[in-house]
Amino acid sequence: MTLRTSRRATLLGGLSLPFVSRLARAAGEPVRLGTLCPLTGAGGSYGPAMVKVAKTIVDEVNAAGGVLGRQILLTGEDDQTNPDAGVRAARKLIDVDKVDAVIGTWASSVTTAVAPLCWENKVMLFTVSGADSITQMPHKGFIIRTQPNTHLQGTRAGEYLAAHGSKKVFSLAAQTPFAVDGYKVLTEALKAHGADTVGQVIYDQAKTTFRTEIDEMLKAKPDSLYLNSYQPDLAVLLRELFRAGYEGKKFTYGYAANAKLLGSVPANVSDGLVAFAPSPDVGSPAYAKVKAILGGAEPDPYSCQVHDHVSLAVLAIAKAGAVSGQAIHDNVRGVGDPAGTKVTSAVEGLKLLAAGKAINYEGASGPCKFTPTGDISNCKFRFDVAEKGKMKLLEIS
Amino acid sequence: MIADFAQLLLNGLLAGTQLAVPAIGFTAIYAVLRFPNFAVASHATIGAYAGFVANVWFGLPAPAALLAAFLVAGVVGVVSDEIVLRRLRPAGALTVAIASVALTIVLENIVRFSFGNDLRGYDLPVLRDWHWPMPWGDTLRVGPQQLENAVAAGLAMAALFAFLAFTRTGKMMRAVADNPMLAGLKGINADVVARLASFVGMGLAGFGGMLIGLDTSIDPLTGFRVMLSVFAAAVVGGLGSIPGAVVGAFVIGIGEEMSVLVLDPTYRTAVGFVAILLVLSLRPRGLLGERAY
């Protein structure tokens, strides 16, 4: 009898073991996040740093006890800066690894390709891609982008010009899909501050000389020029502006006014050119942390943005009290509550959330406040001026 | 309005002189070898880079660098013609023309592989334009570099015309262009003349490529960008006619600039296409016909 009871007990105990362990695992089931950064291809120089930052933040959160008492499991895939490879990798992350958020897609083409997979599966997508079209997709709120779109950039350009005394701005724009829209946005921003545009010439980049375009511009007698150009055509334009004796202000994008440009034209031709680019918030402790993670070098904007992607995802889960893509979707804006206590790291925010307090997350890339379509509503820009053939920082604002 | 017109006319004339040099090269090759050699584009680029090496790496002044551009592009022209195009000539003009497109892509990428995709500028000061007061109260704007380029182009063209008119070799070239069979009967070696045509034609393309680069910057696409205008100039003037190429270059140069009076500058490139279309439908032999000289 004793023996039989013991047998039954053993049997029951034995059978129940898997259930016990499954119950135990549910509490310990990790929170699954995935990075989809370009480790190879055109973006290959950025991906490794982005992944490193994401891993470090996850490790920190795990070391501090995880989120909702669960550890975070970060899975990384390489999108190869290629939409095909990106879609395959995203499928694996979503179907096999069961991630709740895909973090860090870089190329706009990749983001565009993987976005439908994400929103159909209710997986949150955090991206650093800049194309306006991305947030115009029917993504039902499952895309968050930390890179300013061209609309925001144009607005800030207009505001800066107006604030620095420009009254009559002429635009010389390369023939691109956003030349016309860019001009419209610039005009609106200038008008809002008492200045205006006086004309635009859209030029064909394939031309080797722009004398005629410059003549057109001179006729409008502007005090400032908005050069919506790429680096090769900007080099030609700057020479011709110098030759024509144009003495007004020159304003352009940071990606056009790079070191290559300054190397290809004499210093007296490039001097005075003001360039602007989205900037991480270099004064933020979060920026300092990203810098430390990457070994002390000035971090690129994408690494800073990935720091914020991971932090936002973790904080949104903590605020929701639930682990799912939908939970992140519903709470990602709630962790940036302006009335809450300002935090700059996930660990800091998790503590306050656990104590039932409201938080206002501001990250390495900027304030991290999002419009209903998933764009950032504001971010810092850096303004540099060319002096003696080198770029010198004017301001970050 | 007068001021606009005068300035655009001047811009067009200067653009035309620059365009004329590679257009002559293109048409000279057509006159002798009877196929449109689109590799002129990459040879213009090669000339521009040869001039860059001479000017920036070896510190030679611009005129010497222009000579280097002519020689290097000419030699590359002969070599690539020997290796690639000559074997295909029996297959017909269309085959060689297509092969020349392939050749130009290969050569352009060799340049890209060797020098990278970056923009490069010559080691020359960028000078302010001169402003000439005009009777109607405005000023005409012209760059010193543009004038120098126009002079250099003029000298190159004068040298070519003298070569064709007064030297024995030049006359040989004209003879082959005029009537290859008769020239052969007279004992003129067609192979030698073919190589000479490649050398002079591609040399001029290289010279023109460097002229364009002097006024702007160079990159591996320098030649490709002007190819349409060069081709249009040659077709307008009459393929194979050297004076025709000069006339055609002025028509295209002035036409592209003047188009701004009625069109947005964005559509300037269309002028070349429209010119080709008009000439081929109204006067297929071109303004001056096909006579080589």
Side-chain angles (χ1 to χ4, degrees):
Chain A
M1 191 70 185
T2 352
L3 187 68
R4 274 174 71 186
T5 316
S6 163
R7 266 191 190 157
R8 186 172 293 158
T10 314
L11 189 67
L12 280 173
L15 282 174
S16 66
L17 257 175
F19 298 99
V20 171
S21 73
R22 178 160 288 181
L23 269 175
R25 225 175 47 204
E29 178 88 358
V31 173
R32 296 166 191 275
L33 302 177
T35 58
L36 187 54
C37 301
L39 304 181
T40 51
S45 55
Y46 292 110
M50 295 162 79
V51 173
K52 188 170 179 192
V53 170
K55 278 213 169 88
T56 314
I57 304 303
V58 164
D59 290 347
E60 268 182 22
V61 172
N62 284 340
V67 54
L68 304 176
R70 292 158 65 170
Q71 293 286 294
I72 302 169
L73 179 66
L74 186 74
T75 313
E77 285 295 330
D78 177 12
D79 71 19
Q80 300 175 26
T81 331
N82 173 333
D84 279 350
V87 165
R88 283 197 300 275
R91 281 222 168 279
K92 191 223 159 211
L93 286 174
I94 295 170
D95 297 341
V96 180
D97 300 314
K98 311 273 183 213
V99 299
D100 294 313
V102 171
I103 285 168
T105 54
W106 183 86
S108 292
S109 56
V110 173
T111 307
T112 308
V114 305
L117 284 178
C118 292
W119 80 62
E120 290 302 329
N121 290 288
K122 295 193 189 310
V123 167
M124 199 68 195
L125 176 63
F126 291 86
T127 177
V128 304
S129 306
D132 282 2
S133 55
I134 287 171
T135 47
Q136 290 160 4
M137 291 189 285
H139 58 77
K140 304 170 194 159
F142 280 97
I143 295 179
I144 283 288
R145 137 162 75 195
T146 43
Q147 178 79 356
N149 62 11
T150 44
H151 190 276
L152 178 56
Q153 301 201 19
T155 306
R156 288 303 305 277
E159 286 169 2
Y160 178 90
L161 283 168
H164 289 75
S166 300
K167 289 280 170 217
K168 295 164 70 185
V169 181
F170 194 94
S171 162
L172 281 168
Q175 203 174 3
T176 60
F178 51 87
V180 172
D181 278 345
Y183 184 66
K184 222 181 281 169
V185 171
L186 178 76
T187 309
E188 279 164 20
L190 285 169
K191 278 195 173 146
H193 294 83
D196 205 351
T197 44
V198 290
Q200 158 155 279
V201 167
I202 297 177
Y203 59 82
D204 179 356
Q205 285 156 262
K207 282 283 164 193
T208 51
T209 164
F210 299 119
R211 293 185 80 84
T212 312
E213 285 82 349
I214 302 271
D215 284 337
E216 289 277 298
M217 178 275 289
L218 290 173
K219 269 190 266 170
K221 302 200 188 322
D223 57 31
S224 306
L225 261 187
Y226 177 70
L227 299 157
N228 191 349
S229 314
Y230 293 105
Q231 175 224 324
D233 32 305
L234 183 59
V236 179
L237 279 172
L238 287 177
R239 283 164 185 269
E240 300 206 359
L241 287 171
F242 179 85
R243 288 181 183 143
Y246 171 79
E247 297 290 356
K249 287 187 186 138
K250 293 167 291 193
F251 188 83
T252 191
Y253 286 91
Y255 56 72
N258 51 20
K260 273 183 197 165
L261 177 96
L262 296 177
S264 68
V265 296
N268 57 351
V269 169
S270 60
D271 275 2
L273 175 71
V274 174
F276 86 120
S279 166
D281 186 359
V282 295
S284 155
Y287 180 86
K289 187 201 278 168
V290 175
K291 190 172 168 179
I293 293 170
L294 297 178
E298 290 299 328
D300 62 80
Y302 310 119
S303 300
C304 296
Q305 292 178 32
V306 161
H307 169 277
D308 299 344
H309 295 170
V310 177
S311 306
L312 286 167
V314 170
L315 290 172
I317 288 170
K319 187 168 165 58
V323 184
S324 70
Q326 188 70 43
I328 302 175
H329 169 279
D330 296 344
N331 290 279
V332 69
R333 288 174 181 78
V335 298
D337 179 0
T341 314
K342 183 182 159 180
V343 295
T344 58
S345 80
V347 173
E348 213 181 327
L350 287 172
K351 277 183 203 147
L352 288 173
L353 285 174
K357 290 188 177 139
I359 58 165
N360 179 20
Y361 177 79
E362 296 201 350
S365 67
C368 293
K369 301 293 175 283
F370 302 94
T371 64
T373 54
D375 278 313
I376 41 166
S377 53
N378 207 352
C379 83
K380 303 248 179 194
F381 281 83
R382 64 177 291 150
F383 298 85
D384 294 85
V385 65
E387 255 187 33
K388 299 195 176 90
K390 292 232 154 48
M391 276 314 205
K392 201 185 95 181
L393 181 64
L394 282 175
E395 60 177 80
I396 293 179
S397 61
Chain B
M1 190 63 195
I2 292 182
D4 278 0
F5 189 81
Q7 181 70 58
L8 290 174
L9 184 65
L10 180 69
N11 288 356
L13 280 172
L14 292 169
T17 42
Q18 211 156 287
L19 204 54
V21 181
I24 289 175
F26 182 82
T27 220
I29 293 175
Y30 186 87
V32 174
L33 298 173
R34 294 280 138 190
F35 75 96
N37 192 337
F38 294 106
V40 161
S42 55
H43 286 79
T45 307
I46 288 170
Y49 275 88
F52 170 81
V53 169
N55 174 246
V56 178
W57 293 5
F58 295 110
L60 297 178
L66 276 170
L67 190 65
F70 178 84
L71 292 175
V72 172
V75 169
V76 172
V78 172
V79 172
S80 61
D81 188 70
E82 280 301 305
I83 296 176
V84 183
L85 302 180
R86 201 164 82 103
R87 301 152 193 253
L88 295 170
R89 242 171 254 153
L94 184 63
T95 309
V96 198
I98 293 170
S100 76
V101 174
L103 174 65
T104 206
I105 295 172
V106 171
L107 290 176
E108 179 191 305
N109 281 294
I110 290 174
V111 171
R112 187 171 281 129
F113 190 74
S114 322
F115 291 89
N117 240 347
D118 299 349
L119 271 186
R120 289 163 190 271
Y122 293 99
D123 188 12
L124 296 169
V126 181
L127 300 172
R128 299 275 192 193
D129 286 351
W130 291 326
H131 293 259
W132 287 330
M134 287 289 130
W136 52 84
D138 214 326
T139 59
L140 269 190
R141 189 165 76 81
V142 64
Q145 187 64 55
Q146 281 183 297
L147 285 185
E148 278 176 33
N149 280 3
V151 170
L155 288 177
M157 284 188 263
L160 179 75
F161 278 102
F163 168 72
L164 291 177
F166 303 122
T167 67
R168 204 182 148 74
T169 346
K171 286 175 186 163
M172 266 163 54
M173 268 180 77
R174 282 161 53 202
V176 173
D178 216 30
N179 190 334
M181 202 175 282
L182 193 61
L185 289 174
K186 284 279 178 191
I188 295 174
N189 185 337
D191 280 345
V192 171
V193 172
R195 280 181 205 129
L196 197 66
S198 289
F199 179 75
V200 172
M202 290 308 183
L204 286 172
F207 192 92
M210 178 164 172
L211 285 184
I212 292 162
L214 279 175
D215 203 27
T216 56
S217 309
I218 60 169
D219 73 331
L221 286 172
T222 293
F224 181 77
R225 285 201 199 93
V226 291
M227 192 56 220
L228 173 68
S229 304
V230 168
F231 184 56
V235 170
V236 168
L239 268 176
S241 163
I242 288 174
V246 179
V247 174
F250 282 116
V251 170
I252 298 295
I254 295 172
E256 284 188 352
E257 295 296 325
M258 288 289 181
S259 70
V260 179
L261 286 173
V262 288
L263 278 178
D264 219 53
T266 322
Y267 303 110
R268 208 161 51 157
T269 323
V271 172
F273 284 113
V274 173
I276 293 176
L277 192 71
L278 284 180
V279 168
L280 289 184
S281 10
L282 302 177
R283 195 178 155 81
R285 291 161 67 84
L287 292 178
L288 298 196
E290 283 190 42
R291 285 189 55 85
Y293 181 74

